[in-house]
Amino acid sequence: MDITISLPDGSQKTLPQGSTALDAAKSIGAGLARAAFAAKINGHLCDITTPLTDGATLAIVTYKDKEGPKILRHTAAHILASAVKRLYPKAILEDGPATDTGFFYDIMLPEAVSPEAFPAIEAEMEKIVAEASPLVRKELSREEALALFDGRGERFKIETIESLGEDDVISIYEMGDFVDLCRGPHLQSTEGVKAIKIMNVAGAYRKGDATREQLVRFHAVAFPDKKLLKEYLTLLEEAKKRDHRRIGQDLDLFSFQDEAPGFPFFHAKGSILYNTLLAFMREELDKRDYTEIRTPMILNKDLWLRSGHWDHYRENMYFTEIDERDFAVKPMNCPGGLLVYKNGMHSYRELPIRAAEFGMVHRHEMSGVLHGLFRVRCFTQDDAHVFCTTDQLQAEVENIIDLVLHVYNTVGFKDVAIELSTRPANSIGSDEIWELATETLKKALEHHEIKYQLNPGDGAFYGPKIDFHVKDCLGRTWQCGTIQADFSMPERFDLTYVGDDGEKHRPVMIHRAIFGSIERFLGILIEHYAGNFPLWLAPVQVRVLSLSSDLLDTAADIAAQLKAAGLRVETDVRDEKIGAKIREAEMMKIPVMLIVGKKEAAEGKVSVRRHGKGDQGALTLAEAIATLKEESASRKQ
RNA sequence: GCUGAAGUGGCUCAGUUGGCAGAGCAGCGCAUUCGUAAUGCGCAGGUCGUGGGUUCGAGUCCCACCUUCAGCUCCA
């Protein structure tokens, strides 16, 4: 008797009874069979050697599929654990999951390990790969499993088995002399893992619980071929070169001081970047009829009680006392914005009200999570609160989506991923309101014909949200913008507007940020451009280099004309050779060098050199200024 | 907050078993007046993260704290 299965392209295939997913892959093509990591049978991920049943749907999973890398990494985790067990027989294994970039394995070791031990472990892993041991799945009864791991001294595995529910299937994977409790699926054989590298070790508590045993966590990466490992290592190196903390110091953009941990200091050049970004944003807000407000940094306890922050966000807030009354430093801008709305009566004719605020917020982040500009204790949000009627919600969201995409495009992010997050478990508000809000956000996205990913249950407790992720030039993604519909705050603060019926109505509120945190966004931009900013953003746009010291006045005059044209300019008239001056300007990543020697001075010209591009030939000063002014004003990439 | 590592001129780093704190770059001065990524010579610059302790003597050994880094955790 034959069985018939359907494939992802809708076609059907007939195979002999007892065929496995691998047999199906082979019948499609030898290449696919070789590349096959696992199978998805009726949507369920399992080993490629799993037998097929009649009528099943089958998808072959390879490295290129979403699930592929994780399967390989998981198998690599078993290889790592096996190698460590061979070298340290007393090691006790905890758990070794795959992560987004690699995998780790938490292991209790009788002795400390340092990176010096990595080569030995890696050599052992290579041996295991060379042994090409098959990974064999077995399902055991609870008693069999307990006996097996007891015999191997794996007391953590025993605890894990004991914590499993009655109905859970207990499966193990054998791999040569190694065996691990594991759900799978796995590669057929260790030889599929062509490259593994241990990246570092760090301490980690069992189950992340500080009261439990301290384990060693081996972080590692794995790839199906050595070239991919090399590419990954190159990417890491490139990321390290672009580290915004390094560039921030080299280009004198910002710093951190012991006196204020987690609170960034923006230097003169960093402030230019900051202000240039804000000026651009203000220009765009003005075009879209936003108003801008400013609310205080410190507000009293009553407000935070009313907003809910006192109950839900207190651990992250800073407090102070004024005239024996409790105050808090704002961690968010919305309560202040609500007070501004509430300050007067509003007619439906005024709506929508789009109130932007570049508000500096302070949040107490734990010391261990601080990370350059990416994670700070004080930052400025490019916040805005839109108050509108339910009918206006969709148009407002569309307007914001349009703004977000335009802003990202202009600053250099062409690739933007969007997620829609819907109602979470512990939410407030009625079903109808959630339904309406979620549908409205969906419609707004569909209006833009934008592809988005749905994250069911990932919304805020007060409303659904749209999140924007930008992809930088290394392919890393960063969550920046967010649009959140909020029916809760208007309720809590009793916001109203007077409708055309003369009655009071409740407006809807939208919270929205585009950069998110300006500080963090600057960090992302610095890494994206590796400090080589486009002209419009560069802190110093032009440096005028004199060839000899008798041209000091000429250089000063050129600089004055550039400045008068609105360009940010410096001069270098030091008694140095031109090569040295060029080198320094190049290292400071200044986009344009204008070099003036006797020849140029006589003709009223400047020799133009672009950062990273070399000599561009001579132009008259007027031509050069016109070109640069246009390039800067148009925010050219 | 937890685990581990680190902290020496503005920057990058050296400093042996405890025995007079060093280099390069940057800065300043002088010479040089130079054509597209480093001109030469000289000078100055440090309470070795902070506070205790051990010692005849501490950058070095011990303790506490601060900050940073890699993770964890937390937050989304």
Side-chain angles (χ1 to χ4, degrees):
Chain A
M1 247 262 293
D2 287 348
I3 55 169
T4 304
I5 55 160
S6 20
L7 298 167
D9 63 359
S11 67
Q12 304 230 318
K13 203 149 194 85
T14 304
L15 294 157
Q17 180 83 37
S19 295
T20 66
L22 183 61
D23 295 327
K26 277 180 188 157
S27 77
I28 297 166
L32 181 65
R34 245 180 284 122
F37 275 16
K40 227 179 194 176
I41 301 173
N42 297 325
H44 180 73
L45 201 58
C46 55
D47 289 321
I48 192 71
T49 49
T50 308
L52 296 165
T53 49
D54 191 35
T57 63
L58 169 71
I60 304 294
V61 177
T62 70
Y63 188 71
K64 290 196 176 76
D65 291 294
K66 200 172 121 227
E67 300 89 349
K70 285 209 168 181
I71 295 168
L72 175 101
R73 288 169 195 154
H74 202 162
T75 300
H78 282 217
I79 295 173
L80 171 67
S82 173
V84 171
K85 282 290 271 189
R86 286 189 189 180
L87 296 171
Y88 308 87
K90 287 197 180 126
I92 302 173
L93 306 176
E94 166 63 19
D95 189 20
T99 65
D100 288 341
T101 50
F103 66 93
F104 62 82
Y105 215 116
D106 286 346
I107 301 173
M108 184 146 97
L109 286 172
E111 57 194 287
V113 262
S114 68
E116 283 102 75
F118 293 176
I121 301 171
E122 282 168 349
E124 198 60 42
M125 291 195 289
E126 274 178 39
K127 246 191 254 174
I128 293 167
V129 170
E131 285 163 15
S133 307
L135 283 102
V136 181
R137 179 189 177 91
K138 283 188 182 154
E139 291 183 8
L140 304 182
S141 70
R142 182 168 298 238
E143 292 66 36
E144 289 170 323
L146 289 173
L148 172 71
F149 288 106
D150 190 40
R152 300 178 72 94
E154 297 288 2
R155 58 186 173 89
F156 298 156
K157 297 289 175 188
I158 288 176
E159 276 184 49
T160 308
I161 295 167
E162 283 168 345
S163 73
L164 291 175
E166 282 300 318
D167 302 331
D168 291 326
V169 174
I170 298 174
S171 60
I172 60 157
Y173 279 79
E174 289 175 352
M175 183 183 86
D177 52 2
F178 177 78
V179 62
D180 199 357
L181 180 70
C182 185
R183 230 180 256 123
H186 277 283
L187 302 190
Q188 292 172 73
S189 150
T190 56
E191 68 176 339
V193 187
K194 299 292 189 210
I196 314 185
K197 186 170 168 60
I198 304 176
M199 303 308 289
N200 60 45
V201 279
Y205 291 109
R206 255 191 94 202
K207 313 279 183 209
D209 180 348
T211 63
R212 304 180 84 152
E213 296 90 333
Q214 169 85 40
L215 308 176
V216 175
R217 173 167 296 183
F218 289 89
H219 280 265
V221 292
F223 297 92
D225 93 56
K226 289 210 159 58
K227 208 179 102 207
L228 289 172
L229 171 63
K230 212 176 153 197
E231 278 172 18
Y232 175 76
L233 295 176
T234 311
L235 185 78
L236 280 191
E237 263 172 55
E238 188 53 34
K240 204 173 167 187
K241 272 190 239 157
R242 286 164 181 265
D243 191 317
H244 73 281
R245 295 168 295 185
R246 175 81 253 156
I247 292 176
Q249 185 180 72
D250 288 348
L251 302 191
D252 198 16
L253 302 176
F254 60 86
S255 63
F256 287 89
Q257 311 288 338
D258 284 1
E259 288 80 355
F263 301 95
F265 289 68
F266 279 88
H267 298 191
K269 286 175 183 162
S271 293
I272 292 174
L273 268 175
Y274 197 104
N275 291 334
T276 305
L277 219 46
L278 284 202
F280 164 54
M281 184 61 87
R282 285 197 166 103
E283 217 176 273
E284 293 302 320
L285 294 182
D286 189 52
K287 282 183 203 164
R288 290 156 209 262
D289 295 324
Y290 276 77
T291 57
E292 184 176 335
I293 62 168
R294 295 182 81 79
T295 68
M297 196 93 69
I298 297 174
L299 302 108
N300 83 5
K301 179 176 172 177
D302 295 343
L303 178 74
W304 302 110
L305 275 170
R306 189 167 192 182
S307 69
H309 288 87
W310 193 274
D311 292 330
H312 297 295
Y313 206 69
R314 199 170 2 165
E315 354 32 284
N316 284 299
M317 291 167 66
Y318 296 108
F319 300 97
T320 186
E321 209 178 85
I322 302 171
D323 293 341
E324 290 159 44
R325 287 175 63 206
D326 290 329
F327 282 75
V329 181
K330 67 175 174 184
M332 294 184 196
N333 300 305
C334 29
L338 287 159
L339 293 183
V340 174
Y341 181 92
K342 267 184 82 68
N343 191 54
M345 293 278 284
H346 295 284
S347 151
Y348 71 97
R349 294 173 198 275
E350 287 175 65
L351 303 186
I353 292 173
R354 310 186 182 103
E357 174 169 16
F358 297 100
M360 178 181 270
V361 296
H362 288 70
R363 297 181 182 177
H364 180 71
E365 301 287 354
M366 283 201 285
S367 58
V369 306
L370 301 175
H371 182 91
L373 293 178
F374 288 163
R375 198 72 183 268
V376 287
R377 283 178 169 155
C378 123
F379 58 95
T380 306
Q381 293 181 306
D382 61 324
D383 218 338
H385 298 103
V386 177
F387 302 93
C388 63
T389 67
T390 323
D391 290 343
Q392 293 168 331
L393 184 60
Q394 185 181 332
E396 285 309 299
V397 173
E398 282 169 15
N399 181 350
I400 297 169
I401 292 172
D402 186 64
L403 172 60
V404 170
L405 296 179
H406 174 67
V407 167
Y408 289 165
N409 244 283
T410 306
V411 301
F413 297 114
K414 307 295 180 199
D415 200 341
V416 181
I418 300 177
E419 290 179 5
L420 173 65
S421 299
T422 60
R423 188 173 192 173
N426 56 344
S427 58
I428 55 171
S430 69
D431 291 351
E432 297 81 63
I433 267 180
W434 272 92
E435 176 69 15
L436 176 71
T438 310
E439 273 313 303
T440 308
L441 294 191
K442 256 187 203 164
K443 277 191 211 143
L445 285 166
E446 278 152 18
H447 174 263
H448 280 266
E449 294 179 9
I450 290 172
K451 272 193 206 147
Y452 64 92
Q453 194 197 314
L454 199 63
N455 281 343
D458 227 17
F461 69 92
Y462 49 76
K465 60 172 185 175
I466 297 172
D467 287 326
F468 296 83
H469 301 248
V470 299
K471 190 183 254 187
D472 72 12
C473 68
L474 294 185
R476 301 174 298 181
T477 60
W478 308 89
Q479 206 242 291
C480 296
T482 184
I483 304 175
Q484 307 182 355
D486 183 356
F487 297 97
S488 160
M489 284 291 173
E491 203 72 45
R492 276 177 186 262
F493 281 80
D494 192 27
L495 300 191
T496 57
Y497 68 90
V498 179
D500 58 0
D501 54 1
E503 301 291 319
K504 282 188 175 175
H505 298 273
R506 185 80 71 213
V508 183
M509 181 180 185
I510 305 170
H511 306 251
R512 157 254 89 148
I514 297 171
F515 295 139
S517 147
I518 318 271
E519 286 76 358
R520 178 164 171 275
F521 199 82
L522 272 176
I524 295 167
L525 272 182
I526 291 168
E527 302 208 354
H528 178 60
Y529 285 118
N532 304 307
F533 297 107
L535 191 68
W536 73 279
L537 274 173
V540 178
Q541 299 177 302
V542 185
R543 189 180 274 184
V544 180
L545 313 181
S546 62
L547 247 145
S548 53
S549 56
D550 55 340
L551 291 161
L552 202 146
D553 291 342
T554 315
D557 181 51
I558 292 170
Q561 290 190 52
L562 287 159
K563 191 174 176 189
L567 292 159
R568 298 183 288 271
V569 58
E570 281 181 351
T571 55
D572 185 351
V573 291
R574 290 171 308 157
D575 217 354
E576 271 296 349
K577 293 176 82 166
I578 197 66
K581 294 188 186 185
I582 286 170
R583 181 166 189 276
E584 282 179 35
E586 289 281 358
M587 288 201 306
M588 291 306 285
K589 302 176 188 282
I590 295 167
V592 180
M593 286 151 270
L594 296 182
I595 299 164
V596 59
K598 286 193 190 80
K599 202 166 66 189
E600 291 85 357
E603 298 170 1
K605 286 188 169 178
V606 284
S607 173
V608 182
R609 182 187 167 99
R610 297 293 301 229
H611 169 56
K613 296 197 187 89
D615 193 354
Q616 308 286 300
L619 289 179
T620 66
L621 181 58
E623 284 168 341
I625 288 175
T627 314
L628 294 174
K629 218 174 141 178
E630 154 60 21
E631 180 177 337
S632 179
S634 65
R635 303 199 171 92
K636 207 174 144 201
Q637 292 292 312

